[in-house]
Amino acid sequence: MAGEAKNLISIADLSKDEISGILSLASSFAEVLRRPVKKVPALRGKTIVNLFLEPSTRTRMSFELAAKRLSADVVNFSSGTSSIVKGESLKDTAKTIFSMGADAVVVRHQSSGAPQMLTKWVDCSVINAGDGMHEHPTQALLDLYVMRERMGGLEGLKVAIVGDIEHSRVARSNILALNKVGSKVLLCAPRTLLPAGIEEFGVETTVSLDEALGWCDVLYLLRVQAERIEGPRFPSLEEYHENYGLSEKRWDKLEKKPLVMHPGPMNRGVEIASSVADEVEPSIAGQVAAGVAVRMAVLYKLLSGSVSSERFEREQ
Ligand code: CP
């Protein structure tokens, strides 16, 4: 995303300094969002299309709000009411959107690599809002933003990511991002949900949740992604909760409570007990709130052309 870069497809595209720049700019936008009038004219005249071909609550709404807070025009594309149901391809859909003057397409797709393909078909910015099991870069950026705000820094921070690592684009983006900023990552899952060779990403692994809980400053829980899992990976959801869920018993036993995070949607009673979910809800709501400021920062960085983020920060 350096200099003239116009797309955000993977956290691998960003340097440590660029991540830091986005988080700083997001802080400025968070300040805007605390004002009575939560809007700036930064992207007036720009058009942003939300092309979500897989379900989403948080990401789609926060990209829409982020664009509106920056005064851009926003179009939400819904596959169920589009010509996709008549068989129109992603390529033709993308070209149609670009022909109508989009400056950016925010895309979520069930196939890994779809946003990268889009960059070959359109001449506007493409932002990956989650592609298959590949990546979800803006989720990782907002997670880092929250960790930095809540824990006072990222260097040396101990983050345990627990759950369905294999099918998680959130885990992949977070591992890349946390490695770049100098945090330590421990992955915790049953062996059947840990991809082979994951240690090559510079992370440690464990099959013991109690070990992860005793080690971490931040406990990042993941949903079991039933829609992506082929065949049984564990005996039952009850047994999964017993071994890998943040149960009331485990939570109450902890002398030093970690910051608990979850990208949503949560499966209450599976990766987290419902009562614990209610207790840690403020920090998870904080992730959702941070999503708007961080996505404002990403849209601004990509679409403001030669206007530097420093100028935005100076003018506020
Ligand atoms: N975290 C996340 O991607 O949530 P949604 O699927 O609701 O967008």
Side-chain angles (χ1 to χ4, degrees):
M1 220 163 131
E4 70 289 352
K6 63 179 187 180
N7 306 315
L8 177 58
I9 306 300
S10 165
I11 288 291
D13 301 339
L14 301 173
S15 67
K16 180 180 178 180
D17 285 351
E18 286 168 330
I19 290 175
S20 186
I22 291 169
L23 302 189
S24 296
L25 184 56
S27 292
S28 303
F29 284 126
E31 164 57 30
V32 169
L33 295 175
R34 285 192 286 272
R35 295 177 191 166
V37 178
K38 304 172 175 56
K39 201 160 179 155
V40 288
L43 293 186
R44 195 165 48 202
K46 301 285 185 189
T47 301
I48 295 164
V49 177
N50 280 331
L51 176 62
F52 277 62
L53 302 173
E54 202 187 52
S56 167
T57 298
R58 283 148 281 267
T59 313
R60 191 189 60 74
M61 285 178 68
S62 65
F63 264 114
E64 180 176 355
L65 263 178
K68 286 178 171 168
R69 300 296 193 218
L70 292 167
S71 304
D73 295 316
V74 189
V75 179
N76 288 311
F77 178 96
S78 160
S79 57
T81 53
S82 74
S83 286
I84 283 185
V85 294
K86 300 177 203 164
E88 190 162 34
S89 67
L90 179 63
K91 182 176 180 177
D92 289 335
T93 302
K95 283 180 170 287
T96 302
I97 289 168
F98 179 61
S99 301
M100 288 186 199
D103 296 290
V105 180
V106 179
V107 59
R108 170 169 289 192
H109 201 281
Q110 66 274 17
S111 300
S112 302
Q116 184 67 47
M117 292 303 293
L118 234 67
T119 64
K120 300 183 197 316
W121 301 326
V122 297
D123 198 22
C124 62
S125 289
V126 177
I127 302 170
N128 182 0
D131 61 329
M133 302 191 298
H134 176 226
E135 275 215 49
H136 194 349
T138 58
Q139 178 70 48
L141 290 169
L142 77 87
D143 291 333
L144 262 57
Y145 179 88
V146 170
M147 289 179 208
R148 197 179 74 159
E149 293 280 301
R150 293 288 306 273
M151 307 303 289
L154 295 168
E155 184 78 44
L157 190 69
K158 293 190 268 183
V159 182
I161 304 178
V162 179
D164 182 0
I165 310 289
E166 180 177 358
H167 302 96
S168 177
R169 55 197 177 207
V170 172
R172 245 167 282 279
S173 288
N174 263 296
I175 291 166
L176 289 171
L178 289 164
N179 275 343
K180 286 195 185 225
V181 298
S183 304
K184 296 178 181 147
V185 180
L186 176 65
L187 304 180
C188 174
R191 289 199 196 288
T192 50
L193 290 174
L194 271 174
I198 191 75
E199 291 85 354
E200 287 164 26
F201 281 76
V203 294
E204 301 286 328
T205 62
T206 179
V207 292
S208 163
L209 177 54
D210 291 322
E211 183 191 336
L213 282 168
W215 173 85
C216 69
D217 304 310
V218 177
L219 180 72
Y220 196 103
L221 298 172
L222 295 171
R223 179 173 71 89
V224 173
Q225 302 204 25
E227 73 278 19
R228 300 190 205 278
I229 296 179
E230 288 167 11
R233 299 298 180 98
F234 45 84
S236 67
L237 288 177
E238 290 72 25
E239 189 156 324
Y240 181 89
H241 181 67
E242 182 67 31
N243 291 314
Y244 292 98
L246 187 57
S247 62
E248 218 173 285
K249 198 167 127 201
R250 273 203 177 92
W251 182 244
D252 289 345
K253 211 168 67 181
L254 284 175
E255 279 172 25
K256 179 180 150 265
K257 304 259 194 278
L259 173 67
V260 178
M261 297 179 69
H262 194 302
M266 277 191 282
N267 283 328
R268 286 170 181 254
V270 182
E271 67 270 14
I272 187 166
S274 193
S275 57
V276 182
D278 288 338
E279 200 175 317
V280 301
E281 200 274 336
S283 71
I284 292 168
Q287 283 175 268
V288 176
V292 179
V294 169
R295 287 171 177 129
M296 286 171 81
V298 168
L299 289 171
Y300 184 82
K301 288 261 185 195
L302 292 174
L303 293 182
S304 58
S306 60
V307 181
S308 70
S309 54
E310 287 71 24
R311 187 179 121 184
F312 174 82
E313 284 163 347
R314 253 197 333 269
E315 287 174 353
Q316 298 311 300

